[in-house]
Amino acid sequence: MLHKYQTMRINELLTNTDQLDEASLRDLARAGMLGAGLIGAGLGANSMLSKAPEAPTAITQPAQTAQTPDAVTKAKTTAVQQKAQDNPNFPTELKGLDSKDAKTRVSTFTRVVLPLIDHENAEIKRQRQALVQLSKQKNLTKEQAAWIEGMKSYYKADTLKDLVAKVDIVPRSMALAQAAVESGWGQQPLAQQANVFYGQKTFDPEAPSATGQYGEKYRAFDSPQDSVRAYMRNLNTHPAYEPFRSARAEFRSKNRPLQGAQLVKSLGSYSTKGGYGQQLQSIIKSHGINKLDTN
């Protein structure tokens, strides 16, 4: 996968000045192109997964048999629980969290999800540092130039300057608050069935997906980590989130730490519901999540 390949090769890119043979360059180019063009219009995500989880089983019954609303609700709940059990990668600590008090919900969700966010941000930070350093070099090796071209393809950037602007972290508070809202603190059926932590819709018939309440298709993921990775790439590449990237770049230009409570105001395109940014701000501030933003 490109993600792992980039992680392993960055130090070499900054220090190795030897020429590579043609076979190595071909391997590098192929690795650099993985994932390119996988995000379409809307909120589509980027992970290339093996198989889409099945849609929730429909509850059917003979026409002559009447069921009470309670019986139907119980049957649907049982189906949802079964689908959640079929997803071995959903964090067990998040199951049944809706029965806990608010403090426990926030602390548990943070303990489980924040390390996933930190993992992706750490990789993006390494990529950004390498790009900034390489952008200052007058001459690049073939390997360095090939890596930059692969990054341009992955992040949908035309120039090195545009690439540096796109390859940047997502504030911890913002990523955590969005995961909480979009997954209902991990309690939404789609989150438990198919690791849908950020509500990313897909219109690609070939993409792994899970079906929502009204028949809409959400991007399904093998693991919560894949969902976080796709979410960050989505914010860093899709045209709809240019306002977010511009606001983030302004923070950088002023040498200010990225503040999620401020940057969420630029996410108007993420949800069709009004007041989305204000909702995220409220969660960040009321639960003290803003304290997580230190870089």
Side-chain angles (χ1 to χ4, degrees), residues 99-171:
S99 64
K100 307 296 183 180
D101 60 272
K103 184 176 180 180
T104 301
R105 286 198 300 271
V106 174
S107 62
T108 303
F109 192 79
T110 300
R111 185 175 68 252
V112 172
V113 178
L114 189 59
L116 308 180
I117 294 170
D118 288 343
H119 178 82
E120 297 306 318
N121 271 335
E123 171 62 9
I124 292 173
K125 187 180 293 186
R126 285 191 291 269
Q127 294 173 355
R128 180 178 175 82
Q129 290 171 344
L131 286 169
V132 170
Q133 183 171 335
L134 292 175
S135 69
K136 297 176 181 178
Q137 292 184 198
K138 292 183 179 181
N139 299 308
L140 300 175
T141 66
K142 289 183 179 180
E143 183 181 21
Q144 291 168 343
W147 182 75
I148 289 176
E149 289 305 310
M151 291 287 287
K152 284 182 181 179
S153 177
Y154 186 78
Y155 281 97
K156 300 182 179 181
D158 295 325
T159 66
L160 182 55
K161 181 179 180 180
D162 182 35
L163 180 61
V164 173
K166 286 185 172 183
V167 182
D168 204 347
I169 67 170
V170 176

Side-chain angles (χ1 to χ4, degrees), residues 40-54:
L43 297 177
N46 71 308
S47 291
M48 188 176 293
L49 307 181
S50 57
K51 183 179 178 182
E54 297 176 359

Side-chain angles (χ1 to χ4, degrees), residues 55-266:
T57 303
I59 306 301
T60 58
Q61 52 193 339
Q64 68 272 20
T65 303
Q67 281 190 316
T68 65
D70 287 343
V72 174
T73 299
K74 183 177 180 180
K76 289 182 177 179
T77 300
T78 301
V80 168
Q81 290 173 342
Q82 181 61 47
K83 294 299 295 183
Q85 291 174 358
D86 292 341
N87 176 12
N89 293 327
F90 185 80
T92 57
E93 301 94 320
L94 298 184
K95 294 180 180 179
L97 200 60
D98 52 347
S99 64
K100 307 296 183 180
D101 60 272
K103 184 176 180 180
T104 301
R105 286 198 300 271
V106 174
S107 62
T108 303
F109 192 79
T110 300
R111 185 175 68 252
V112 172
V113 178
L114 189 59
L116 308 180
I117 294 170
D118 288 343
H119 178 82
E120 297 306 318
N121 271 335
E123 171 62 9
I124 292 173
K125 187 180 293 186
R126 285 191 291 269
Q127 294 173 355
R128 180 178 175 82
Q129 290 171 344
L131 286 169
V132 170
Q133 183 171 335
L134 292 175
S135 69
K136 297 176 181 178
Q137 292 184 198
K138 292 183 179 181
N139 299 308
L140 300 175
T141 66
K142 289 183 179 180
E143 183 181 21
Q144 291 168 343
W147 182 75
I148 289 176
E149 289 305 310
M151 291 287 287
K152 284 182 181 179
S153 177
Y154 186 78
Y155 281 97
K156 300 182 179 181
D158 295 325
T159 66
L160 182 55
K161 181 179 180 180
D162 182 35
L163 180 61
V164 173
K166 286 185 172 183
V167 182
D168 204 347
I169 67 170
V170 176
R172 302 168 88 202
S173 65
M174 175 176 152
L176 188 66
Q178 282 197 270
V181 169
E182 299 296 335
S183 72
W185 299 93
Q187 304 311 292
Q188 292 289 346
L190 288 178
Q192 299 194 10
Q193 294 166 14
N195 303 305
V196 181
F197 275 79
Y198 288 95
Q200 294 169 262
K201 292 182 180 178
T202 180
F203 302 96
D204 182 357
E206 301 298 324
S209 63
T211 305
Q213 183 178 359
Y214 303 103
E216 68 276 27
K217 297 293 185 179
Y218 290 89
R219 194 65 158 83
F221 298 96
D222 278 344
S223 69
Q225 189 73 67
D226 288 337
S227 182
V228 175
R229 182 177 304 126
Y231 154 77
M232 290 192 178
R233 187 190 178 212
N234 203 24
L235 288 185
N236 281 334
T237 60
H238 201 284
Y241 308 121
E242 177 60 34
F244 160 70
R245 295 192 293 271
S246 295
R248 182 178 61 186
E250 186 174 352
F251 270 79
R252 292 299 191 196
S253 68
K254 296 179 180 178
N255 200 29
R256 295 173 55 193
L258 301 183
Q259 297 294 319
Q262 297 299 316
L263 289 174
V264 292
K265 293 187 292 186
S266 61

